[in-house]
């Protein structure tokens, strides 16, 4: 079952590895330019470095907790690593499609490729937590992820025990859950059947490698009571950070190409996040057209919503 919070940032996370890689390669190319050319586009290279950091921060914020039991597990659940978020996408994709080639799975979840370290880590997590198996070059969902709920009375009973244990502890490991409900082990068929029912109910979510918890909104509320803030990256944080990086990478690429041709780099523009909030004077038509074109690309790729695109476009047109 999709995790609500993770689903909100999944699109941004899927795009982040490729963008960070592209940005790193462009910065390397910038570093290799002759000193004079390098100086001409130093600000654009700085924007890419800053935007890459922004993406990493937005998708991996940490929260602090006081000394208490399971604090490490709660931190992990509220600040999921990119490979775990991709593991959730893998499971959701397999539940929809059924068996698929390894290459096809990588494409379906937006991985850079089958050797992408985030994708490799995600496959390892999804496999070790019992949601998928690799059969040669084919990825298959297990009974835990096939979307078919076991109606057996024992499965219903185990599911109720799992839900009660998670409600009590807030977050706990798969192994501990198996002990709590008194089954033979975390791989026992009756445990997996009960776990699938508990996940389908929405009262239990897969919240980290080997971890299951109450819905993340409840954990965030707990963090808010203790800390005054949830520490959760929001959907807007993730979308804006990835949009900024995409814009910065595009601008650096155009600037490097220009100086290599002996031309001045295009006029530098600020990040997408700043476009909508600037109150500066009029811009020339060419700059506005280029910026709207960049916004359209982000909108078409799903980084910006219809509302975000329309708002930013209207602001740019206002400045012409």
């Amino acid at each position: 079952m999709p995790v609500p919070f993770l689903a909100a940032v999944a699109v941004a996370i899927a795009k982040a590895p490729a963008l960070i890689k592209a940005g790193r390669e462009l910065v390397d190319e910038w570093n290799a330019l002759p000193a004079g050319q390098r100086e001409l586009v130093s600000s654009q290279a700085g924007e890419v470095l800053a935007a890459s950091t922004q993406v990493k921060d937005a998708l991996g914020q940490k929260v602090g907790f006081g000394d208490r039991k399971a604090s490490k597990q709660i931190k992990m659940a509220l600040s999921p690593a990119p490979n775990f978020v991709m593991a959730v996408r893998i499971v959701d994709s397999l539940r929809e499609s059924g068996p698929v080639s390894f290459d096809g799975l990588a494409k379906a979840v937006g991985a850079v490729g089958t050797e992408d370290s985030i994708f490799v880590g995600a496959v390892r997590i999804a496999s070790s937590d019992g949601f998928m198996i690799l059969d040669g070059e084919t990825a298959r969902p297990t009974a835990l992820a096939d979307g078919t709920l076991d109606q057996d009375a024992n499965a219903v009973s185990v599911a109720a025990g799992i839900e009660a244990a998670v409600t009590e502890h807030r977050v706990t490991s798969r192994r501990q859950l198996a002990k709590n409900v008194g089954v033979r082990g975390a791989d026992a068929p009756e445990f997996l059947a009960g776990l699938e029912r508990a996940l389908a109910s929405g009262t239990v979510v897969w919240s980290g490698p080997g971890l299951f918890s109450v819905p993340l909104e409840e954990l965030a509320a707990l963090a808010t009571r203790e800390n005054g803030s949830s520490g959760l990256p929001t959907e807007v944080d993730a979308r804006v950070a990835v949009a900024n990086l995409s814009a910065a990478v595009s601008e650096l690429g155009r600037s490097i190409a220009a100086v290599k041709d002996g031309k001045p780099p295009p006029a530098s523009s600020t990040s997408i996040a700043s476009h909508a909030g600037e109150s500066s004077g009029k811009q020339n038509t060419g700059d506005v057209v280029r910026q709207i074109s960049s916004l359209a690309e982000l909108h078409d790729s799903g980084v910006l919503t219809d509302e975000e695109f329309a708002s930013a476009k209207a602001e740019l047109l206002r400045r012409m």
Side-chain angles (χ1 to χ4, degrees), residues 292-309:
I292 290 176
S293 178
S294 294
L295 286 171
E297 290 176 9
L298 294 170
H299 175 250
D300 291 342
S301 65
V303 172
L304 296 179
T305 65
D306 291 346
E307 183 178 356
E308 289 164 345
F309 172 67

Side-chain angles (χ1 to χ4, degrees), residues 6-22:
L6 297 178
V9 298
V11 171
I13 287 209
K15 295 176 184 299
L19 281 173
I20 290 172
K21 181 174 183 244

